[in-house]
């Protein structure tokens, strides 16, 4: 309350009582989330360290699991592995951590491209498709019977059990290629959020048009160091506390984003919206309208996808009640929760910014004030991505370690764990192979993120390529094989039509991603900073400032007879290109 009362930019005479009330509520939610996080973080770290604890040295089992031979006194599941303890709550936390990602803040941009009708309709349709296919995939965790059959530990194992053949290799390429891409993309995204904190403070102190350029490379390196430490968590079973903390963070920054948009709408500062989204000839050109609509549909579809880690999540659940029932319940909780936040964030964001909605209204500075709340939201994004990175990296770690254990079972470097006594914490298991391999993976992904700052465009292409086979095609085909759906029956036809529609969506989104990728590659130079660009183009800062002023006063500036009139959205795009060190012919 003191922070709010001392905030000088709020004019209480011109601010509605609802806006002030909502700001009070935001402060309460933020402080509550911070308090909860302060409790969860040490618990998470303690739980992580305890996962290494053991009384005796023993060879490492596959993916860090401890089998009955190493500790015969423990209760075991029907497959001989340590008894699983996961519940619907922990599975829901994993799903929310994986699904409610950084992309939630860009949904207002997606709805701006599609409009109120198509945007909301596509949001609801893909939430239903995701839930339907996730229930099909959950039934395939055991084969051939969904309750009493043999367990499958990975997505590839499930496809091998029901479909076999080359489809197993196709599944592996799509799944692990997507997971690797996500971990690289999260490194970039976390650094963007951390840079935004410094920029928000700079803009608050020096004004909104100040040169507040910061390098993202130190933040990428810091994110990588944190991931090297957390990557020593042996397996997915030990990630529960980290996922719960990440889920709290995702709720927090999504709530802040929604609250800021609601406060803007309640205060009457709304922009123009349309039932069909951006207007050709006013906001965008005809070509831009087409490509951005494709990209927006893809963004919405991919925002729900978590099939890449569904089987790994289900493998953490205890067997009573049946794993497929618990997973279906967790999927319902996860998808319905994310849909609720998606609709709120997308709708209120579009209502607040209209057809000129930014790609992300926290890091793209759709809001400048209150700066401390923007800082807190971006910090929550970074904390969320720390946990989400592990959720998507653990299947990669376990896949490689499982193959190495199988191929070289007598190699002590790969299979043996050493017990290390740490004062005040007890004994912990350390695998040299796990330490070296996982550290090397994190280092490589961090370096790739530094070399390719436009990797998110590549990630969009990877998402388009993996969405259809992993989220739709394989679950549907395995469901048909498991339940023996009669060919050409109404159910069979409906499932096939859904597959074809989602394939078209993936192809269109891939085309949009390729178009954006080509424009990025044309002007790409590795490790180039904005200061290097300013040396080559001494008038850059002046022109950039002029274009930002144009955006602020919402007028149009004609640059020349050969160029079209620059609207606010186009001016913001040019500035964004400059900030991303991509100087094209138009910018020059």
């Amino acid at each position: 309350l003191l922070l709010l009362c001392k905030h000088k930019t709020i004019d209480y005479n011109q601010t509605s009582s609802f806006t002030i009330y909502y700001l009070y509520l935001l402060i309460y939610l933020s402080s509550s989330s911070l308090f909860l996080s302060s409790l969860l973080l040490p618990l998470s770290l303690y739980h992580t360290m305890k996962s290494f604890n053991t009384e005796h040295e023993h060879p490492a089992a596959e993916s860090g699991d401890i089998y009955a031979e190493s500790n015969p006194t423990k209760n075991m599941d029907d497959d001989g592995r340590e008894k699983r303890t996961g519940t619907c709550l922990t599975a829901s936390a994993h799903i929310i951590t994986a699904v409610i990602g950084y992309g939630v803040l860009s949904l207002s941009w997606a709805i701006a491209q599609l409009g109120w009708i198509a945007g909301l309709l596509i949001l609801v349709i893909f939430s239903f498709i995701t839930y339907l296919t996730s229930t099909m995939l959950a039934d395939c965790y055991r084969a051939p019977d969904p309750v009493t059959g043999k367990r499958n530990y990975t997505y590839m194992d499930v496809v091998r059990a029901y479909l076999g053949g080359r489809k197993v290799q196709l599944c592996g390429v799509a799944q692990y290629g997507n997971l690797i891409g996500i971990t690289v993309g999260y490194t970039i995204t976390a650094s963007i959020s951390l840079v935004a904190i410094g920029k928000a403070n700079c803009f608050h102190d020096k004004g909104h048009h100040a040169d507040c350029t910061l390098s993202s490379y130190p933040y990428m390196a810091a994110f990588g160091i944190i991931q090297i430490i957390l990557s020593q968590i042996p397996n997915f079973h030990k990630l529960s506390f980290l996922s719960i903390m990440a889920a709290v963070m995702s709720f927090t920054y999504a709530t802040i984003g929604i609250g800021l948009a609601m406060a803007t709408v309640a205060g009457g500062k709304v922009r123009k919206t349309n039932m069909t989204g951006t207007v050709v000839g006013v906001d965008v050109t005809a070509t831009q309208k087409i490509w951005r609509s494709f990209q927006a549909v893809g963004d919405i579809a991919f925002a729900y996808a978590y099939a890449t880690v569904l089987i790994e999540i289900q493998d953490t659940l205890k067997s009573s009640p049946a794993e497929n029932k618990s997973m279906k319940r967790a999927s319902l909780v996860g998808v319905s929760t994310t849909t609720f936040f998606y609709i709120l964030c997308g709708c209120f964001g579009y209502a607040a910014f209209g057809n000129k909605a930014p790609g992300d209204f926290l890091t793209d500075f759709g809001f400048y004030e209150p700066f401390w709340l923007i800082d807190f939201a971006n910090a929550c994004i970074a904390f969320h991505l720390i946990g989400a990175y592990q959720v998507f990296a653990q299947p990669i770690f376990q896949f490689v370690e499982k193959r190495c254990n199988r191929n070289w079972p007598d190699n002590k470097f790969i299979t043996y764990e050493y017990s290390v006594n740490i004062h005040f914490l007890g004994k912990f298991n350390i695998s040299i192979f796990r330490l070296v391999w996982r550290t090397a993976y994190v280092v490589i992904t961090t370096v790739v993120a530094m070399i390719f700052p436009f990797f998110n465009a590549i990630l969009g292409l990877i998402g388009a390529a993996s969405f259809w086979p992993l989220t739709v095609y394989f679950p549907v085909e395995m469901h048909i094989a498991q339940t023996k759906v009669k060919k050409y029956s109404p159910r069979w036809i409906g499932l096939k039509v859904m597959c074809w529609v989602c394939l078209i969506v993936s192809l269109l989104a891939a085309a949009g991603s390729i178009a954006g990728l080509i424009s990025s590659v044309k002007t790409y130079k590795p490790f180039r900073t904005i200061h290097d660009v300013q040396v080559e183009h001494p008038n850059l800062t002046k022109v950039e400032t002029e274009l930002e002023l144009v955006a602020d006063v919402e007028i149009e500036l004609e640059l020349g007879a050969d160029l079209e009139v620059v609207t606010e959205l186009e001016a913001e795009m040019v500035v964004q290109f400059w900030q991303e060190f991509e100087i094209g012919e138009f910018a020059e």
Side-chain angles (χ1 to χ4, degrees):
L1 291 178
L2 286 175
L3 287 171
L4 181 62
C5 292
K6 291 183 177 180
H7 199 268
K8 299 179 180 179
T9 61
I10 298 178
D11 186 351
Y12 291 95
N13 295 326
Q14 298 180 1
T15 306
S16 67
S17 58
F18 175 79
T19 305
I20 298 174
Y21 167 78
Y22 204 85
L23 286 173
Y24 287 155
L25 181 60
L26 279 177
I27 295 173
Y28 168 73
L29 290 174
S30 302
S31 59
S32 300
S33 300
L34 183 62
F35 172 72
L36 183 58
S37 303
S38 67
L39 295 179
L40 288 175
L41 183 58
L43 285 175
S44 176
L45 295 175
Y46 174 77
H47 186 76
T48 299
M49 296 301 293
K50 290 295 289 182
S51 67
F52 299 113
N53 198 9
T54 183
E55 296 179 0
H56 306 284
E57 295 180 358
H58 60 82
E62 290 181 357
S63 304
D65 291 316
I66 303 174
Y67 290 90
E69 300 89 272
S70 63
N71 197 341
T73 61
K74 284 193 173 182
N75 293 329
M76 298 296 161
D77 269 330
D78 54 1
D79 58 348
R81 296 193 176 190
E82 183 181 354
K83 197 170 187 65
R84 295 160 176 83
T85 58
T87 62
C88 179
L89 174 63
T90 60
S92 300
H94 287 315
I95 293 172
I96 292 172
T97 300
V99 178
I100 296 186
Y102 177 77
V104 65
L105 301 173
S106 67
L107 288 177
S108 59
W109 178 88
I111 293 181
Q113 310 311 310
L114 301 170
W116 289 111
I117 298 176
L120 289 176
L121 187 62
I122 291 173
L123 268 174
V124 174
I125 289 175
F126 277 102
S127 67
F128 173 76
I129 291 175
T130 302
Y131 173 69
L132 177 63
T133 56
S134 66
T135 58
M136 296 177 182
L137 189 56
D139 281 334
C140 298
Y141 169 66
R142 289 179 179 265
D145 186 85
V147 178
T148 60
K150 180 180 178 295
R151 295 176 186 266
N152 297 291
Y153 305 114
T154 67
Y155 204 141
M156 288 181 66
D157 291 342
V158 173
V159 174
R160 184 180 291 109
Y162 283 96
L163 301 178
R166 293 190 176 274
K167 293 179 180 179
V168 179
Q169 286 72 31
L170 174 61
C171 172
V173 171
Q175 180 186 12
Y176 293 107
N178 186 44
L179 291 174
I180 293 171
I182 288 175
T183 55
V184 176
Y186 277 3
T187 303
I188 298 173
T189 304
S191 68
I192 292 174
S193 297
L194 294 172
V195 166
I197 294 175
K199 285 186 175 181
N201 295 333
C202 176
F203 287 140
H204 177 74
D205 295 335
K206 300 180 181 180
H208 296 173
H209 303 296
D211 182 11
C212 294
T213 305
L214 294 174
S215 174
S216 61
Y217 298 135
Y219 298 103
M220 290 185 188
F223 185 83
I225 292 172
I226 294 173
Q227 293 305 332
I228 288 175
I229 297 172
L230 293 178
S231 292
Q232 303 314 310
I233 298 174
N235 51 52
F236 224 118
H237 303 265
K238 310 298 183 181
L239 286 179
S240 298
F241 280 96
L242 192 61
S243 285
I244 292 174
M245 184 191 73
V248 172
M249 293 295 100
S250 63
F251 283 137
T252 303
Y253 69 73
T255 301
I256 291 173
I258 294 169
L260 290 172
M262 289 180 67
T264 301
V265 174
K269 298 178 181 179
V270 295
R271 303 287 182 89
K272 182 181 179 182
T273 62
N274 294 90
M275 299 302 290
T276 56
T278 52
V279 179
V280 175
V282 177
D283 303 304
V284 292
T285 64
T287 303
Q288 288 174 334
K289 177 70 175 178
I290 294 173
W291 290 119
R292 291 180 185 179
S293 296
F294 291 165
Q295 185 179 349
V297 174
D299 288 349
I300 293 174
F302 308 152
Y304 285 104
Y306 64 97
T308 50
V309 293
L310 186 146
I311 296 299
E312 284 77 5
I313 294 173
Q314 190 167 350
D315 191 44
T316 67
L317 296 175
K318 56 186 179 182
S319 56
S320 179
E323 299 93 349
N324 63 332
K325 292 183 179 180
S326 297
M327 194 64 201
K328 289 178 181 179
R329 192 177 300 113
S331 295
L332 179 61
V333 172
V335 173
S336 59
T337 302
T338 54
T339 302
F340 173 75
F341 272 88
Y342 283 1
I343 290 176
L344 282 181
C345 207
C347 290
F348 279 103
Y350 182 39
F353 296 103
N355 294 335
K356 298 175 177 59
D360 174 0
F361 50 71
L362 287 180
T363 59
D364 286 347
F365 292 96
F367 299 104
Y368 287 92
E369 301 291 345
F371 78 98
W372 53 269
L373 192 58
I374 305 297
D375 287 352
F376 179 68
N378 280 301
C380 290
I381 294 175
F383 272 109
H384 168 251
L385 293 176
I386 287 173
Y389 183 102
Q390 287 302 312
V391 170
F392 287 100
Q394 281 293 333
I396 304 171
F397 297 154
Q398 295 178 22
F399 173 76
V400 172
E401 290 158 16
K402 181 179 179 180
R403 296 294 292 268
C404 290
N405 274 277
R406 182 183 302 166
N407 294 335
W408 300 286
D410 298 326
N411 190 318
K412 288 189 175 181
F413 173 73
I414 295 175
T415 61
Y416 203 77
E417 289 185 352
Y418 299 89
S419 181
V420 177
N421 189 13
I422 301 177
H423 291 292
F424 306 112
L425 294 177
K427 293 182 178 180
F428 302 93
N429 289 336
I430 295 179
S431 168
I432 302 300
F433 173 67
R434 185 167 63 224
L435 178 65
V436 173
W437 138 243
R438 296 189 180 191
T439 300
Y441 176 84
V442 174
V443 170
I444 291 172
T445 55
T446 304
V447 171
V448 171
M450 291 179 175
I451 295 176
F452 300 104
F454 60 85
F455 189 84
N456 283 331
I458 302 176
L459 186 59
L461 181 60
I462 295 174
S466 60
F467 167 76
W468 180 73
L470 296 178
T471 303
V472 183
Y473 175 73
F474 285 132
V476 168
E477 290 298 315
M478 291 188 292
H479 174 74
I480 291 175
Q482 183 186 56
T483 59
K484 297 178 173 56
V485 178
K486 188 176 181 181
K487 198 172 184 179
Y488 300 116
S489 65
R491 182 181 181 85
W492 185 89
I493 293 174
L495 293 174
K496 290 294 184 180
V497 168
M498 183 179 69
C499 279
W500 281 104
V501 170
C502 291
L503 175 60
I504 294 172
V505 170
S506 293
L507 293 176
L508 294 178
S513 298
I514 291 173
L517 185 60
I518 291 174
S519 64
S520 298
V521 172
K522 282 182 179 179
T523 55
Y524 166 67
K525 291 184 180 180
F527 297 106
R528 195 184 193 195
T529 67
I530 190 67
H531 299 290
D532 298 332
V533 177
Q534 289 174 344
V535 171
E536 299 174 11
H537 305 273
N539 295 325
L540 175 63
T541 304
K542 178 183 176 184
V543 177
E544 178 180 336
T545 302
E546 289 177 353
L547 287 173
E548 288 184 351
L549 289 172
V550 169
D552 285 342
V553 299
E554 299 185 39
I555 64 174
E556 295 179 346
L557 173 67
E558 185 170 327
L559 295 183
D562 296 333
L563 299 175
E564 62 186 58
V565 174
V566 176
T567 63
E568 175 184 351
L569 178 61
E570 290 164 342
E572 291 174 348
M573 288 177 56
V574 174
V575 174
Q576 182 181 355
F577 289 154
W578 281 338
Q579 291 175 343
E580 294 178 356
F581 326 134
E582 300 170 7
I583 303 298
E585 293 180 0
F586 176 76
E588 293 177 359

